Amino acid sequence: MLDDARVSWRHATLSFNGRSWVIEDHGSTNGTFTQGRRIHQLEIGSGTALHLGNANDGPRVTLSGAAAPAASPQARPQQPYAAQEAQGAAPGWVQQGQQQAQAQAQGGRQQQPSQQQRPAPYVPQQQGSGGAVGAVPMYGDRSPTTFHQFSLGRVMRIGRALENDLVVSDLQVSRNHAEFHSTPDGRMEIRDLGSHNGTYVNGMPIAKGATQLLGPADIVGVGHSTFRIVGDRLEEFVDTGEVSFSARHLTVTVDGGKQILKDVSFGVPEKSLIAVIGPSGSGKSTLLKALTGYRPADRGEVLYDNRNLYKQFAELRQRIGLVPQDDILHKELTVKKALTYAAKLRFPADTTAAERNARIDEVLRELKLDVHKDKKVTSLSGGQRKRVSVALELLTKPSLIFLDEPTSGLDPGMDRDVMQLLRGLADDGRTVLVVTHSVAELAICDKLLVMAPGGSVAYFGPPDEALNFFGYDTWADVFSAFENYRDYDWAGRWKGSQHYQMYAADIDAVAPQSVPAPQMQALRPPKPQGWMSQFVTLVRRYVSVIVSDKGFLALMVILPAVLGAVSLLINPDSGLLPNAPNQAGVIRPNGTATTVLLILAVGACFAGAANSVRELIKERVIYERERATGLSRSAYLMSKVFVLGLITVLQGLMVGVIGFSSRELPEEGLVLGGFTLLELSIPIMGLGFTSMMFGLIISALVKTAEKTMPLLVMFAIIQVVFTGCLFALHGTVGVNQFSFLMPSRWAVAASGATLDFNLISPPETPGDPDPLWEHTAGAWLMDMGALIALGVVCGFFVARFLRRHEPEVMRK
């Protein structure tokens, strides 16, 4: 290991190809040079001098010495190759090359892995001063991107606008984001200028407009840039993808003490493609949630560039992209429109339409989607839809991208196209980790992580050495072995292997076997858009989705029309007034009125609940991802309530007008005077709205969309029973009190109060009328107030249930 800021974390690899030594630069920041010329791959011989990080005065590495005595095939280097050379251990490289040749000559099944393709073992560094657990300073593995000199009393403003002292070309940064300035006693402080995505100190957001003093070890985060004050100068580090990422001893335990993830550790080289495979039940999905912070591990830690992801999730979430297995966009929209709405939600409110469109067009060109931008997402092939999901994540330029089963359901050709897309993303400067069941394209990956049943690591290293490690010819054989020998200690076999020493042992050298995860507080990170801005964008997007679905639009009109028309079949010439007393002075019940109101109430219940019962479950994956990027839960819920509520209220009005207008009604209402038709229709409209809120509760609770229909039918039937039209509820102890929880009870009571149901349907016990049916304005207002209150309570529960579908790190 070379302790020089100009040398990258994983700078270069020296390998023996059987004929000569080859130096390969791994896209290092400052380069590898020989004779003043930057090289990427070069065969070198004895006496060749290399400079790392600078052509003139960078650390010099010289290949010297001929051959060393051959060692046993079991011998292996205990340090990275670059570290050996720095100590003058060049004969060790020659020795290793001879070991490889000797192992190949023996022709055994467990051959020495190919030296040409073996990278330098990963050596993670520990977090530095800002929450330190080790002695290596943060960003100590590379030089700052740029320096900015401070002078006493000077204010240095940071932002996207050109008038700032320090211009950051990043759409995650506000036009005027923050400013550094010195205090009279010579210390420095950072002041947030009302930024949209927030200003962070050591990963924690500071309040909008607040000021915080800075210490010598504090790290300030602004968008994809971080800043550190060293003496009288400001060092800037721009996250361009050259970041390390490692998991250390991740363990997840569920109820009952069962471990579904066991001591998972591995380190990911920068700008690489890593595949994660394993049989069902091996913890791949759990691992992905732990790595992204969606479900933090109970023990262990995830380090993003030496920074604890769980503790600093509020800031680092902006640098991580996640593409779930299901598409994270609305298929009814065109590609360009879907990305436009996503950009409006993710970029700061002060981002102009031109800036958003420029970034969208740039991503579309990069992924070769520009020719499909005006097509609906639903019309694209499976592979193209996955590209659009990736494009959505690339809008914010993440350095680390996770994908969950991106090739699921795709044919072999599309499988290859998607994997080649991911290979290209890694080559362009991103680190990509993909969970997959497909093993056809593993060869294009840099590293392979194989999970064993029970959630432990069975292998981590180059893909082309994996089958040889397991001793099988095909992956089908390996997976069969996992199934047939579930109790075998696959993790123990891995940790006792030579591959473990080469590719993962250094994780254990710097971290204990299990590291308790820090106690996390609920994070309320800044939102890129204000509440009203998000609400308006969500409403516009939702309306666009509805308008693009012609079938749903037609159903919204036909359903209430049919439900209202059905009521006209019930004694069409009969009115809804109390019958005149007979000769004995007894009032005969008007069965038509109660039957008509029952049908209209059931229709409103069914229409309202049907509108919403699938809305949250079908967008659950979209909501989870957008919530992690700063979406407001209440803005999302209110956008649904506003649009669906407006639709449902109009449907209720249509049902009421069709059902009531053709019949004889009282001349005067209780509240609206001569507008009796409207007064009767308002409870039907309110019933539809509250039923819609009950539908949202169902949609937030169920795990699959298929479960919504049985619950919808059950809800409608229960409302029929508790309308009070089939049997008397008043006076029935227990049943009457339970009926107060049913929206149909209050809606029918309000309309019944206007029609004077105590006369239309006299109580069985004389002198004991239903107080909810009293023919008074107070009874009508009480009934409507209770109906609206039920809807508000439903909204509260929907918000609580939505909380379960958010990244756990945000609600722990």
Side-chain angles (χ1 to χ4, degrees):
M1 180 181 297
L2 297 176
D3 187 14
D4 192 292
R6 293 169 296 182
V7 180
S8 293
W9 182 284
R10 181 172 177 260
H11 194 103
T13 296
L14 187 68
S15 59
F16 188 73
N17 62 11
R19 182 183 68 256
S20 62
W21 291 99
V22 177
I23 182 76
E24 180 182 359
D25 185 276
H26 291 291
S28 60
T29 302
N30 297 313
T32 303
F33 302 85
T34 180
Q35 298 180 350
R37 172 173 65 92
R38 184 164 184 168
I39 57 113
H40 296 284
Q41 188 176 40
L42 180 69
E43 291 189 3
I44 60 177
S46 178
T48 302
L50 303 169
H51 286 279
L52 307 182
N54 188 283
N56 300 316
D57 59 355
R60 179 171 173 167
V61 179
T62 304
L63 180 65
S64 60
S72 63
Q74 289 77 19
R76 60 177 178 267
Q78 296 301 316
Q79 303 176 21
Y81 303 139
Q84 293 184 28
E85 171 58 21
Q87 299 173 13
W93 302 336
V94 180
Q95 179 187 48
Q96 188 69 17
Q98 292 174 343
Q99 292 169 11
Q100 176 192 352
Q102 180 179 348
Q104 292 175 346
Q106 291 177 354
R109 185 173 183 82
Q110 294 289 344
Q111 295 180 0
Q112 191 79 330
S114 170
Q115 182 73 315
Q116 184 178 2
Q117 298 181 5
R118 179 189 305 148
Y122 173 77
V123 183
Q125 296 179 343
Q126 299 193 27
Q127 185 168 336
S129 304
V133 293
V136 181
M138 189 178 296
Y139 305 112
D141 61 320
R142 62 182 185 270
S143 299
T145 306
T146 185
F147 302 97
H148 307 278
Q149 204 69 31
F150 266 124
S151 58
L152 188 61
R154 179 187 173 190
V155 174
M156 182 174 289
R157 177 168 293 184
I158 304 172
R160 199 174 73 247
L162 297 178
E163 63 265 19
N164 290 283
D165 303 298
L166 203 164
V167 179
V168 179
S169 300
D170 182 355
L171 291 182
Q172 295 290 86
V173 177
S174 299
R175 298 186 63 82
N176 296 291
H177 197 104
E179 63 183 18
F180 289 96
H181 58 91
S182 59
T183 62
D185 58 1
R187 292 187 294 174
M188 299 301 300
E189 59 185 13
I190 180 72
R191 174 182 298 157
D192 183 85
L193 299 178
S195 63
H196 299 280
N197 275 324
T199 304
Y200 301 82
V201 176
N202 299 327
M204 300 303 294
I206 63 176
K208 284 191 175 184
T211 300
Q212 183 167 331
L213 283 171
L214 300 175
D218 288 337
I219 302 295
V220 176
V222 174
H224 286 79
S225 299
T226 48
F227 301 88
R228 180 176 60 187
I229 297 174
V230 179
D232 60 348
R233 71 179 185 180
L234 180 68
E235 296 183 347
E236 178 183 4
F237 300 84
V238 179
D239 188 343
T240 58
E242 295 176 346
V243 296
S244 62
F245 185 79
S246 62
R248 298 185 181 180
H249 309 285
L250 301 182
T251 300
V252 174
T253 305
V254 295
D255 295 337
K258 180 182 178 182
Q259 290 186 342
I260 56 177
L261 207 63
K262 299 179 181 178
D263 193 29
V264 175
S265 298
F266 62 95
V268 177
E270 63 188 36
K271 299 182 180 180
S272 57
L273 174 60
I274 297 89
V276 180
I277 65 171
S280 299
S282 59
K284 299 187 300 298
S285 296
T286 303
L287 175 62
L288 189 65
K289 292 179 180 178
L291 294 176
T292 56
Y294 270 53
R295 198 293 187 194
D298 300 308
R299 299 180 66 84
E301 59 186 357
V302 177
L303 297 184
Y304 177 100
D305 216 20
N306 302 314
R307 305 171 68 182
N308 190 301
L309 175 64
Y310 299 159
K311 294 177 66 175
Q312 304 185 26
F313 182 81
E315 177 186 355
L316 297 180
R317 64 176 183 152
Q318 303 178 36
R319 309 189 190 185
I320 295 177
L322 173 62
V323 181
Q325 183 173 347
D326 297 324
D327 293 327
I328 51 176
L329 31 80
H330 294 84
K331 298 178 183 179
E332 300 85 357
L333 302 178
T334 64
V335 172
K336 182 69 177 286
K337 186 171 290 187
L339 294 181
T340 298
Y341 284 123
K344 285 183 178 180
L345 291 173
R346 297 193 181 193
F347 289 146
D350 61 4
T351 307
T352 65
E355 289 174 316
R356 289 194 300 267
N357 288 331
R359 179 57 188 157
I360 292 170
D361 291 340
E362 181 182 353
V363 171
L364 290 175
R365 287 192 300 270
E366 180 181 358
L367 298 183
K368 297 179 175 61
L369 287 170
D370 46 335
V371 296
H372 304 294
K373 65 180 181 180
D374 295 323
K375 297 180 181 178
K376 286 189 176 182
V377 176
T378 188
S379 69
L380 302 178
S381 66
Q384 290 169 340
R385 285 202 303 271
K386 193 57 63 177
R387 283 177 178 263
V388 178
S389 294
V390 173
L392 189 151
E393 291 300 309
L394 291 185
L395 289 175
T396 54
K397 298 184 178 180
S399 299
L400 187 62
I401 302 177
F402 293 91
L403 299 99
D404 187 12
E405 299 286 356
T407 60
S408 177
L410 302 183
D411 60 49
M414 290 185 179
D415 181 354
R416 180 183 59 193
D417 291 342
V418 171
M419 292 301 292
Q420 288 179 344
L421 165 68
L422 303 184
R423 177 71 265 172
L425 294 178
D427 293 339
D428 287 341
R430 306 173 184 92
T431 299
V432 182
L433 189 146
V434 53
V435 175
T436 180
H437 277 298
S438 175
V439 297
E441 303 296 329
L442 295 180
I444 68 174
C445 300
D446 298 298
K447 287 289 191 297
L448 175 65
L449 176 66
V450 183
M451 300 294 293
S456 58
V457 177
Y459 173 83
F460 178 72
D464 56 349
E465 298 176 13
L467 287 176
N468 188 38
F469 170 80
F470 287 108
Y472 291 99
D473 296 324
T474 66
W475 283 108
D477 295 330
V478 175
F479 279 42
S480 295
F482 283 149
E483 182 64 30
N484 296 332
Y485 306 101
R486 299 186 69 88
D487 296 331
Y488 182 73
D489 187 9
W490 296 100
R493 180 178 183 271
W494 157 242
K495 291 183 178 180
S497 69
Q498 185 176 14
H499 284 73
Y500 176 82
Q501 296 298 326
M502 290 186 291
Y503 303 120
D506 292 300
I507 291 287
D508 293 327
V510 296
Q513 281 296 324
S514 60
V515 181
Q519 183 67 32
M520 291 173 293
Q521 300 177 349
L523 294 176
R524 290 178 174 82
K527 297 177 176 60
Q529 300 278 336
W531 190 94
M532 183 55 68
S533 178
Q534 287 193 1
F535 172 76
V536 172
T537 300
L538 290 167
V539 167
R540 292 179 59 189
R541 183 177 70 178
Y542 194 22
V543 171
S544 297
V545 170
I546 291 176
V547 170
S548 65
D549 190 344
K550 306 302 181 184
F552 183 70
L553 282 175
L555 185 62
M556 284 194 305
V557 176
I558 294 174
L559 181 62
V562 171
L563 293 174
V566 168
S567 68
L568 299 179
L569 302 177
I570 310 299
N571 294 332
D573 298 328
S574 176
L576 302 181
L577 300 175
N579 290 322
N582 58 18
Q583 293 180 351
V586 177
I587 298 178
R588 181 172 52 86
N590 184 349
T592 299
T594 55
T595 303
V596 168
L597 198 54
L598 172 65
I599 293 175
L600 296 181
V602 172
C605 284
F606 187 82
N611 285 339
S612 62
V613 76
R614 289 178 177 265
E615 285 307 306
L616 300 183
I617 181 63
K618 76 179 184 181
E619 290 187 1
R620 182 161 298 172
V621 176
I622 298 175
Y623 172 74
E624 289 178 357
R625 183 64 192 127
E626 291 184 340
R627 178 66 175 145
T629 60
L631 179 69
S632 167
R633 183 196 312 137
S634 60
Y636 175 79
L637 177 57
M638 289 306 299
S639 70
K640 295 292 184 186
V641 172
F642 178 79
V643 177
L644 290 174
L646 184 61
I647 292 172
T648 304
V649 165
L650 292 176
Q651 287 178 327
L653 179 61
M654 185 182 300
V655 169
V657 169
I658 294 175
F660 290 127
S661 60
S662 64
R663 300 181 185 274
E664 185 180 1
L665 303 175
E667 294 182 0
E668 291 287 333
L670 297 173
V671 177
L672 300 183
F675 298 96
T676 308
L677 176 61
L678 180 60
E679 185 174 310
L680 288 172
S681 298
I682 287 177
I684 302 299
M685 295 157 64
L687 176 57
F689 178 84
T690 304
S691 298
M692 180 270 294
M693 297 301 294
F694 269 93
L696 290 178
I697 289 182
I698 295 174
S699 192
L701 282 174
V702 297
K703 294 183 178 180
T704 61
E706 290 75 16
K707 296 180 180 179
T708 58
M709 285 298 103
L711 293 174
L712 172 61
V713 173
M714 183 180 69
F715 171 76
I717 291 175
I718 291 175
Q719 299 311 305
V720 172
V721 175
F722 289 99
T723 56
C725 297
L726 297 180
F727 60 92
L729 293 173
H730 177 63
T732 308
V733 179
V735 176
N736 187 41
Q737 286 71 26
F738 183 75
S739 72
F740 294 160
L741 300 176
M742 302 296 117
S744 62
R745 172 74 161 116
W746 299 102
V748 169
S751 294
T754 299
L755 296 174
D756 198 357
F757 261 24
N758 280 323
L759 282 178
I760 287 178
S761 181
E764 296 181 1
T765 304
D768 188 23
D770 190 335
L772 302 186
W773 289 359
E774 287 185 4
H775 190 58
T776 63
W780 190 92
L781 292 173
M782 180 189 69
D783 294 337
M784 287 303 302
L787 184 62
I788 295 172
L790 274 179
V792 173
V793 171
C794 288
F796 171 79
F797 281 108
V798 174
R800 298 299 296 176
F801 295 147
L802 272 177
R803 190 170 178 267
R804 302 184 310 161
H805 307 299
E806 300 171 2
E808 188 170 328
V809 72
M810 298 178 67
R811 55 187 170 89
K812 193 151 183 151

